[in-house]
Amino acid sequence: ILNVEQSPQSLHVQEGDSTNFTCSFPSSNFYALHWYRWETAKSPEALFVMTLNGDEKKKGRISATLNTKEGYSYLYIKGSQPEDSATYLCAPNTGNQFYFGTGTSLTVIP
Amino acid sequence: KAGVTQTPRYLIKTRGQQVTLSCSPISGHRSVSWYQQTPGQGLQFLFEYFSETQRNKGNFPGRFSGRQFSNSRSEMNVSTLELGDSALYLCASSSTTHSFTDTQYFGPGTRLTVL
């Protein structure tokens, strides 16, 4: 069992603010890390797949970085919008299964 | 392209009963994984099927079982239901054999309530 921690657990920001969350995981047996966005009443939606130490991915206003040596990944949202309100999940994969964190719940206040 | 579908969406059962949930992956996807989410817990991996074979299995009791058909559709069965089995059950499909880098596409889930 892999212990995956996400912080903060929840976050309220004003529209236009930039924000970031952390995903921490044991650095051994690491194969890949996935980030998902899960909006209420919808299915989790893949954001990024990251595999290499130092990886940086970007999709519009959302970006992510990966440090496999120290076992963490950051997700950044620049200029948050109300439609960014969702729970953001990270899931490292050890080669045979994903281990999901409990997520960071983001609420963007208009 | 149609997404992942799950049936039924909601289910109410009583303790001791058994239940079967169904998942139809995206056309062409051969891998189907199942997850359980209970309040306060992250998604817990149940099992993964690829080409009708269970490829990986999470840490769940034998009451939880699954199978995959030749058309990649998958079913999950829970026997002798317990109150703690009340959860959202999600399935996800992906396309190739490199499961740790493949993007997973999730279905809407089945909400199971055990009374």
Side-chain angles (χ1 to χ4, degrees), chain B:
Chain B
K1 204 179 211 182
V4 178
T5 58
Q6 292 187 244
T7 57
R9 294 292 311 279
Y10 302 92
L11 206 47
I12 299 175
K13 292 285 187 178
T14 55
R15 277 181 299 175
Q17 287 187 310
Q18 74 164 20
V19 68
T20 300
L21 312 182
S22 180
C23 172
S24 293
I26 290 172
S27 178
H29 284 192
R30 295 163 65 191
S31 169
V32 174
S33 297
W34 288 89
Y35 295 90
Q36 180 198 64
Q37 189 194 39
T38 51
Q41 296 283 325
L43 295 175
Q44 303 287 314
F45 172 75
L46 282 152
F47 26 67
E48 181 203 2
Y49 285 87
F50 182 84
S51 293
E52 302 179 65
T53 301
Q54 187 179 87
R55 184 157 66 174
N56 293 300
K57 187 176 189 302
N59 190 28
F60 277 81
R63 300 185 297 108
F64 291 82
S65 63
R67 59 179 176 168
Q68 188 179 34
F69 301 95
S70 58
N71 62 357
S72 293
R73 188 178 70 86
S74 177
E75 287 182 348
M76 190 193 99
N77 184 275
V78 188
S79 63
T80 319
L81 283 166
E82 300 176 359
L83 294 178
D85 297 332
S86 295
L88 178 68
Y89 290 89
L90 289 166
C91 78
S93 75
S94 59
S95 59
T96 71
T97 58
H98 299 114
S99 58
F100 54 87
T101 56
D102 283 350
T103 295
Q104 291 193 109
Y105 296 86
F106 282 86
T110 294
R111 173 75 63 184
L112 172 65
T113 301
V114 182
L115 302 176

Side-chain angles (χ1 to χ4, degrees), chain A residues 8 10-15 17 19 21 104-109:
Chain A
S10 67
L11 199 52
H12 290 71
V13 301
Q14 294 288 330
E15 182 175 352
D17 286 351
T19 186
F21 336 126
T104 292
S105 174
L106 173 67
T107 302
V108 181
I109 303 163

Side-chain angles (χ1 to χ4, degrees), chain A residues 59-93:
Chain A
K59 187 177 183 178
R61 294 178 292 97
I62 305 177
S63 60
T65 61
L66 178 66
N67 183 321
T68 59
K69 293 183 179 178
E70 296 183 37
Y72 65 83
S73 177
Y74 293 139
L75 189 80
Y76 302 90
I77 302 179
K78 184 177 178 182
S80 302
Q81 298 296 308
E83 58 265 29
D84 296 328
S85 296
T87 296
Y88 291 82
L89 303 173
C90 71
N93 188 296

